[in-house]
Amino acid sequence: MTRLTIALIGAGSMGSAIGRMLGASGARVLTTLEGRSAASAARAREAGMEDAGLADLAASDFVLSIVPPAVAAETAERLAPALNKASSKAVYIDCNAVSPQTVATIARTVDATGAAFVDGGIIGAPSSPKFYFSGPHAARANVLGDAGLAVRLLDGPIGAASALKMSYAGITKGLTALGSAMSLAAMRNGAGDALLAELAESQPQLAAWLAGNVPRMPPKAYRWVAEMEEIAAFIGEDFVEHRIYEGAAGLYARLAHDKAATDALGRFFTERGG
């Protein structure tokens, strides 16, 4: 089998972990370190990813975009000129936590270059991610299963994989937001210990889930702001429940900078819950 060359844009914790998996399976993994932080550059090199120019990325077999949701569309626009010029074009897979509306915009950018576009969604931790793919070219991404990724093909159009990601994250990260918000409110009003005791007694599974997820949230809160905004857009302004996720975005924006609140949440669920 021909060795795959896979360009991976984004060397955060998820991107570097996936780069390591692909490299371990024998694929050549390229990335761009231009403008990246020293920490991201170090993660990429440790994962065996090669720094490359945009022309080399565009000529790969696949491009996986795994970046913060707020820059997903910008990332496609940045690579589009190189895709336009490439004689052999990569299959571009957007793997970001964005709404179907946003992914449709990205697809139009990629389609204009003549490259094939696949809608992707990642569910799971960096150590065990699952990739869901949809759209008319999704079957072309099946080969990534031989390159070490857990691949699931959806029988749906562009937007289906993103809709799945939005729905799943809306439940899991939305529940983390609700648990954080109500725990902070209970603590502010002298009912924190009573709330945790009642959850442990009447909702033990929920109490255990919150104890396992809320304390791990603060370092990720800044990244979840745009994701909550994308989920609100996914639901749509015609449906009042989109405001739930606008509120969650505001909460995560606050918690990204409110160390006193996140420290209180950590103590609440570890010292009392433990």
Side-chain angles (χ1 to χ4, degrees):
M1 178 174 155
T2 304
R3 185 188 188 196
L4 286 177
T5 297
I6 300 170
L8 201 157
I9 304 177
S13 57
M14 179 66 78
S16 58
I18 291 167
R20 186 176 289 107
M21 290 178 194
L22 293 168
S25 74
R28 182 187 180 207
V29 185
L30 309 181
T31 192
T32 175
L33 299 179
E34 182 182 355
R36 302 294 298 180
S37 68
S40 291
R43 276 194 298 265
R45 293 190 181 99
E46 288 167 8
M49 298 159 69
E50 303 174 30
D51 188 16
L54 296 183
D56 290 327
L57 301 184
S60 300
D61 296 301
F62 292 91
V63 171
L64 304 183
S65 173
I66 306 176
V67 297
V71 298
E74 174 190 320
T75 298
E77 290 166 3
R78 185 160 63 99
L79 192 59
L83 283 170
N84 260 320
K85 295 176 183 176
S87 55
S88 176
K89 301 176 192 293
V91 176
Y92 190 102
I93 307 179
D94 184 89
C95 300
N96 301 303
V98 295
S99 68
Q101 298 93 315
T102 298
V103 90
T105 299
I106 297 170
R108 286 193 292 271
T109 298
V110 175
D111 287 345
T113 71
F117 179 83
V118 175
D119 177 25
I122 302 174
I123 292 179
S127 59
S128 56
K130 286 181 285 187
F131 287 76
Y132 289 87
F133 298 131
S134 70
H137 298 290
R140 294 180 64 175
N142 217 16
V143 69
L144 294 175
D146 297 326
L149 303 187
V151 171
R152 307 283 188 274
L153 299 185
L154 296 180
D155 184 15
I158 288 172
S162 290
L164 173 62
K165 171 63 176 179
M166 293 284 93
S167 303
Y168 185 90
I171 294 171
T172 56
K173 294 169 185 174
L175 185 55
T176 298
L178 286 173
S180 299
M182 299 320 300
S183 297
L184 288 167
M187 285 187 279
R188 288 196 300 270
N189 290 276
D193 288 344
L195 172 64
L196 202 60
E198 180 57 39
L199 285 172
E201 181 179 337
S202 61
Q203 303 288 340
Q205 290 181 318
L206 177 58
W209 191 92
L210 290 171
N213 286 275
V214 172
R216 295 203 301 264
M217 169 271 296
K220 308 170 190 175
Y222 77 99
R223 290 194 285 110
W224 289 2
V225 176
E227 189 167 346
M228 295 300 105
E229 293 170 344
E230 289 288 332
I231 293 170
F234 163 58
I235 292 170
E237 291 187 1
D238 291 342
F239 299 93
V240 69
E241 56 266 32
H242 83 278
R243 296 178 187 171
I244 296 170
Y245 294 93
E246 289 179 343
L251 172 67
Y252 285 133
R254 177 171 75 83
L255 293 181
H257 303 287
D258 191 342
K259 189 172 186 301
T262 55
D263 284 350
L265 284 170
R267 290 192 299 270
F268 183 66
F269 282 104
T270 55
E271 295 177 7
R272 291 175 175 85

